[in-house]
Amino acid sequence: EAQVTQNPRYLITVTGKKLTVTCSQNMNHEYMSWYRQDPGLGLRQIYYSMNVEVTDKGDVPEGYKVSRKEKRNFPLILESPSPNQTSLYFCASRTQGVEQYFGPGTRLTVT
Amino acid sequence: AQSVAQPEDQVNVAEGNPLTVKCTYSVSGNPYLFWYVQYPNRGLQFLLKYITGDNLVKGSYGFEAEFNKSQTSFHLKKPSALVSDSALYFCAVLTGTASKLTFGTGTRLQVTL
């Protein structure tokens, strides 16, 4: 089954404690992205990747890092999380011009 | 820069009535346009897309959308709404040369009996 998986689905952490949210897709897609969803703001892109070792900033990249060492994986790293990064995060993948497939989401709370 | 506007935060419709969720876009170049739906506590699901060809696009769950180049719009429609259609709907745009899919802020559709 074609899918995008994210882990963990729920995470509660404290300010400053480094965390990683994993994302994996099994469709051999070139493009992968991370979004955050906040009420009234819709989905805002954090980072995207056009292929292995090729990443670029989206609309709200501050406080986040990503890497794309393998085509299927695109982890999101928060080196020093802060409360304003409390949000619902989605990973997504697509191939050129085709619809984007979304993961189930990770709800992050930073206290 | 590309952008998408969804002018209505919420749309209320009675079951059985037609529904329209509005979307306008701004891009340089030819747009690829998409609609996604998000049910409570779920991820986003693809509904339909316009790439080229017929301006009326049909998608999942009986939804359709009309591409209007002169008005730069891509409104989502359904002839007869169901209570189960109640969800958050997102319009998105991509240009052929862009690597970034830009989303609107979303419209909450509420269908009541």
Side-chain angles (χ1 to χ4, degrees):
Chain A
E1 180 191 354
Q3 61 181 355
V4 179
T5 57
Q6 293 178 230
N7 282 292
R9 294 289 312 280
Y10 302 90
L11 180 58
I12 300 174
T13 189
V14 297
T15 299
K17 185 176 181 181
K18 181 180 178 179
L19 66 92
T20 299
V21 183
T22 64
C23 172
S24 183
Q25 52 97 1
N26 62 1
M27 295 165 280
N28 202 37
H29 285 167
E30 297 88 6
Y31 295 89
M32 296 187 74
S33 295
W34 275 102
Y35 296 87
R36 59 178 289 174
Q37 183 180 11
D38 302 289
L41 297 176
L43 277 87
R44 294 179 293 168
Q45 192 179 53
I46 302 170
Y47 268 94
Y48 64 96
S49 170
M50 290 158 280
N51 217 321
V52 175
E53 302 291 2
V54 183
T55 63
D56 205 350
K57 296 178 181 179
D59 299 315
V60 288
E62 292 76 23
Y64 304 95
K65 285 176 56 177
V66 293
S67 68
R68 187 96 181 270
K69 293 185 171 59
E70 306 165 283
K71 199 170 187 180
R72 63 182 292 125
N73 295 325
F74 191 45
L76 179 69
I77 303 156
L78 285 71
E79 295 269 2
S80 183
S82 62
N84 65 11
Q85 293 178 299
T86 292
S87 188
L88 179 59
Y89 291 86
F90 289 102
C91 181
S93 74
R94 66 178 177 88
T95 191
Q96 180 69 28
V98 180
E99 62 267 23
Q100 194 149 243
Y101 291 80
F102 284 83
T106 295
R107 188 167 293 281
L108 172 65
T109 302
V110 184
T111 61
Chain B
Q2 57 193 41
S3 64
V4 177
Q6 293 182 242
E8 302 153 318
D9 290 336
Q10 180 155 328
V11 170
N12 298 307
V13 177
E15 188 173 59
N17 284 358
L19 70 88
T20 299
V21 182
K22 295 179 180 176
C23 171
T24 58
Y25 65 91
S26 174
V27 298
S28 51
N30 293 321
Y32 295 175
L33 293 155
F34 303 83
W35 276 101
Y36 288 84
V37 59
Q38 185 180 29
Y39 297 102
N41 301 313
R42 303 283 296 275
L44 279 77
Q45 297 177 32
F46 169 77
L47 271 182
L48 52 80
K49 66 182 177 185
Y50 171 82
I51 304 295
T52 187
D54 194 347
N55 289 344
L56 185 63
V57 178
K58 295 189 184 297
S60 307
Y61 312 122
F63 284 93
E64 58 189 28
E66 186 167 12
F67 171 64
N68 187 317
K69 188 171 184 177
S70 63
Q71 297 185 6
T72 61
S73 67
F74 189 57
H75 301 331
L76 181 70
K77 300 182 180 185
K78 187 173 182 182
S80 179
L82 299 172
V83 171
S84 57
D85 292 330
S86 298
L88 188 57
Y89 290 80
F90 290 96
C91 182
V93 68
L94 174 77
T95 60
T97 56
S99 303
K100 179 179 157 182
L101 187 63
T102 300
F103 284 83
T105 52
T107 298
R108 188 164 299 282
L109 174 66
Q110 187 70 44
V111 182
T112 53
L113 291 171

mmCIF file of all heavy atoms in Angstrom, chain A residues 72-87:
data_model
loop_
_atom_site.group_PDB
_atom_site.id
_atom_site.type_symbol
_atom_site.label_atom_id
_atom_site.label_comp_id
_atom_site.label_asym_id
_atom_site.label_seq_id
_atom_site.Cartn_x
_atom_site.Cartn_y
_atom_site.Cartn_z
ATOM 1 N N ARG A 72 13.736 7.706 0.560
ATOM 2 C CA ARG A 72 12.479 7.402 1.233
ATOM 3 C C ARG A 72 12.298 8.147 2.559
ATOM 4 O O ARG A 72 11.191 8.261 3.049
ATOM 5 C CB ARG A 72 12.363 5.905 1.463
ATOM 6 C CG ARG A 72 13.425 5.315 2.372
ATOM 7 C CD ARG A 72 13.252 3.802 2.495
ATOM 8 N NE ARG A 72 12.041 3.477 3.223
ATOM 9 C CZ ARG A 72 11.092 2.692 2.762
ATOM 10 N NH1 ARG A 72 11.180 2.155 1.572
ATOM 11 N NH2 ARG A 72 10.035 2.423 3.491
ATOM 12 N N ASN A 73 13.366 8.669 3.144
ATOM 13 C CA ASN A 73 13.271 9.249 4.490
ATOM 14 C C ASN A 73 13.554 10.747 4.507
ATOM 15 O O ASN A 73 14.467 11.222 3.820
ATOM 16 C CB ASN A 73 14.256 8.547 5.434
ATOM 17 C CG ASN A 73 13.915 7.092 5.636
ATOM 18 O OD1 ASN A 73 12.750 6.721 5.671
ATOM 19 N ND2 ASN A 73 14.948 6.261 5.740
ATOM 20 N N PHE A 74 12.799 11.449 5.342
ATOM 21 C CA PHE A 74 12.960 12.904 5.431
ATOM 22 C C PHE A 74 12.644 13.339 6.871
ATOM 23 O O PHE A 74 11.566 13.875 7.156
ATOM 24 C CB PHE A 74 12.019 13.575 4.435
ATOM 25 C CG PHE A 74 12.245 15.051 4.226
ATOM 26 C CD1 PHE A 74 13.514 15.559 4.055
ATOM 27 C CD2 PHE A 74 11.164 15.933 4.164
ATOM 28 C CE1 PHE A 74 13.714 16.905 3.843
ATOM 29 C CE2 PHE A 74 11.360 17.288 3.950
ATOM 30 C CZ PHE A 74 12.644 17.771 3.790
ATOM 31 N N PRO A 75 13.568 13.139 7.795
ATOM 32 C CA PRO A 75 13.298 13.486 9.200
ATOM 33 C C PRO A 75 13.299 14.987 9.453
ATOM 34 O O PRO A 75 14.033 15.747 8.815
ATOM 35 C CB PRO A 75 14.450 12.802 9.950
ATOM 36 C CG PRO A 75 15.540 12.706 8.927
ATOM 37 C CD PRO A 75 14.884 12.514 7.607
ATOM 38 N N LEU A 76 12.479 15.386 10.399
ATOM 39 C CA LEU A 76 12.404 16.780 10.856
ATOM 40 C C LEU A 76 13.031 16.846 12.244
ATOM 41 O O LEU A 76 12.644 16.094 13.136
ATOM 42 C CB LEU A 76 10.948 17.242 10.916
ATOM 43 C CG LEU A 76 10.708 18.668 11.397
ATOM 44 C CD1 LEU A 76 11.205 19.669 10.364
ATOM 45 C CD2 LEU A 76 9.222 18.891 11.697
ATOM 46 N N ILE A 77 13.984 17.750 12.399
ATOM 47 C CA ILE A 77 14.742 17.858 13.646
ATOM 48 C C ILE A 77 14.484 19.207 14.293
ATOM 49 O O ILE A 77 14.594 20.245 13.626
ATOM 50 C CB ILE A 77 16.250 17.683 13.378
ATOM 51 C CG1 ILE A 77 16.507 16.340 12.687
ATOM 52 C CG2 ILE A 77 17.054 17.789 14.677
ATOM 53 C CD1 ILE A 77 17.771 16.289 11.884
ATOM 54 N N LEU A 78 14.145 19.180 15.580
ATOM 55 C CA LEU A 78 14.043 20.401 16.364
ATOM 56 C C LEU A 78 15.164 20.361 17.383
ATOM 57 O O LEU A 78 15.123 19.584 18.335
ATOM 58 C CB LEU A 78 12.680 20.500 17.052
ATOM 59 C CG LEU A 78 11.470 20.878 16.177
ATOM 60 C CD1 LEU A 78 11.078 19.744 15.235
ATOM 61 C CD2 LEU A 78 10.312 21.314 17.035
ATOM 62 N N GLU A 79 16.203 21.160 17.151
ATOM 63 C CA GLU A 79 17.397 21.111 17.992
ATOM 64 C C GLU A 79 17.092 21.612 19.415
ATOM 65 O O GLU A 79 17.588 21.066 20.398
ATOM 66 C CB GLU A 79 18.503 21.972 17.378
ATOM 67 C CG GLU A 79 19.020 21.468 16.048
ATOM 68 C CD GLU A 79 20.206 20.514 16.201
ATOM 69 O OE1 GLU A 79 20.595 20.227 17.349
ATOM 70 O OE2 GLU A 79 20.734 20.061 15.176
ATOM 71 N N SER A 80 16.309 22.657 19.516
ATOM 72 C CA SER A 80 15.978 23.237 20.820
ATOM 73 C C SER A 80 14.536 23.724 20.770
ATOM 74 O O SER A 80 14.271 24.923 20.581
ATOM 75 C CB SER A 80 16.941 24.384 21.143
ATOM 76 O OG SER A 80 16.662 24.910 22.429
ATOM 77 N N PRO A 81 13.596 22.809 20.948
ATOM 78 C CA PRO A 81 12.186 23.177 20.785
ATOM 79 C C PRO A 81 11.737 24.270 21.753
ATOM 80 O O PRO A 81 12.210 24.334 22.895
ATOM 81 C CB PRO A 81 11.449 21.864 21.070
ATOM 82 C CG PRO A 81 12.463 20.798 20.894
ATOM 83 C CD PRO A 81 13.779 21.401 21.266
ATOM 84 N N SER A 82 10.819 25.082 21.268
ATOM 85 C CA SER A 82 10.238 26.133 22.109
ATOM 86 C C SER A 82 8.713 26.018 22.039
ATOM 87 O O SER A 82 8.175 25.393 21.118
ATOM 88 C CB SER A 82 10.678 27.515 21.623
ATOM 89 O OG SER A 82 10.210 27.736 20.314
ATOM 90 N N PRO A 83 8.010 26.610 23.012
ATOM 91 C CA PRO A 83 6.543 26.476 23.036
ATOM 92 C C PRO A 83 5.860 26.938 21.760
ATOM 93 O O PRO A 83 4.791 26.414 21.404
ATOM 94 C CB PRO A 83 6.149 27.337 24.240
ATOM 95 C CG PRO A 83 7.321 27.224 25.160
ATOM 96 C CD PRO A 83 8.528 27.232 24.256
ATOM 97 N N ASN A 84 6.432 27.904 21.032
ATOM 98 C CA ASN A 84 5.783 28.363 19.792
ATOM 99 C C ASN A 84 5.902 27.341 18.653
ATOM 100 O O ASN A 84 5.379 27.562 17.552
ATOM 101 C CB ASN A 84 6.294 29.733 19.348
ATOM 102 C CG ASN A 84 7.760 29.735 18.969
ATOM 103 O OD1 ASN A 84 8.382 28.688 18.829
ATOM 104 N ND2 ASN A 84 8.322 30.914 18.800
ATOM 105 N N GLN A 85 6.562 26.229 18.908
ATOM 106 C CA GLN A 85 6.609 25.144 17.939
ATOM 107 C C GLN A 85 5.573 24.058 18.246
ATOM 108 O O GLN A 85 5.514 23.037 17.558
ATOM 109 C CB GLN A 85 8.015 24.549 17.865
ATOM 110 C CG GLN A 85 9.028 25.533 17.272
ATOM 111 C CD GLN A 85 10.435 24.992 17.241
ATOM 112 O OE1 GLN A 85 11.016 24.680 18.295
ATOM 113 N NE2 GLN A 85 11.000 24.875 16.051
ATOM 114 N N THR A 86 4.771 24.308 19.253
ATOM 115 C CA THR A 86 3.623 23.435 19.500
ATOM 116 C C THR A 86 2.681 23.540 18.318
ATOM 117 O O THR A 86 2.223 24.630 17.961
ATOM 118 C CB THR A 86 2.903 23.855 20.797
ATOM 119 O OG1 THR A 86 3.758 23.583 21.913
ATOM 120 C CG2 THR A 86 1.589 23.112 20.959
ATOM 121 N N SER A 87 2.408 22.422 17.672
ATOM 122 C CA SER A 87 1.641 22.450 16.434
ATOM 123 C C SER A 87 1.346 21.019 15.988
ATOM 124 O O SER A 87 1.768 20.047 16.597
ATOM 125 C CB SER A 87 2.435 23.191 15.347
ATOM 126 O OG SER A 87 1.660 23.395 14.185
#
